[in-house]
Amino acid sequence: QVQLVESGGGLVQAGGSLRLSCAASGRTFSSYAMGWFRQAPGKEREFVAAISWSGGNTRYAGSVKGRFTISRDNARNTVYLQMNSLKPEDTAVYYCAADRSIVVHTSQENYDYWGQGTQVTVSS
């Protein structure tokens, strides 16, 4: 069992930056691939970024590539999402998720555990 708690969301102006954190409980965090997803009002939840258990493999949605960076610190049981050059269309609730697979998946169906989400609002 893995419990995930996101933090770091908030209100920021367009062009600004935020760093989201996701703290995980459990001794097996380092064996999980981790992902970030987001859900905007009236829209389905979508993939943002994912990282392998070692941190050596990452994947990004096209809409955030070059602006967002996913990273992890296995010693701290934490995964991060650094978000730069934020746009109003990045406004959403952001969720982190854990996947027991060694493959870095982009589909949410592959993820086994989810956090409660953190709100990110980007004003124009």
Side-chain angles (χ1 to χ4, degrees), residues 12-93:
V12 63
Q13 288 188 332
S17 298
L18 281 176
R19 188 176 81 156
L20 305 183
S21 299
C22 174
S25 66
R27 295 175 292 176
T28 58
F29 171 78
S30 61
S31 65
Y32 287 77
M34 299 295 295
W36 285 97
F37 293 78
R38 67 186 181 186
Q39 187 167 21
K43 295 187 177 181
E44 294 187 352
R45 189 160 57 186
E46 64 176 4
F47 169 76
V48 176
I51 189 167
S52 62
W53 67 271
S54 67
N57 186 16
T58 57
R59 299 183 70 178
Y60 295 92
S63 59
V64 307
K65 200 168 187 177
R67 300 188 298 123
F68 291 11
T69 302
I70 189 171
S71 62
R72 67 190 296 161
D73 184 342
N74 287 341
R76 296 179 182 270
N77 279 14
T78 302
V79 63
Y80 304 97
L81 185 68
Q82 177 66 45
M83 305 186 296
N84 298 329
S85 302
L86 282 161
K87 305 174 181 180
E89 50 264 43
D90 294 318
T91 295
V93 177

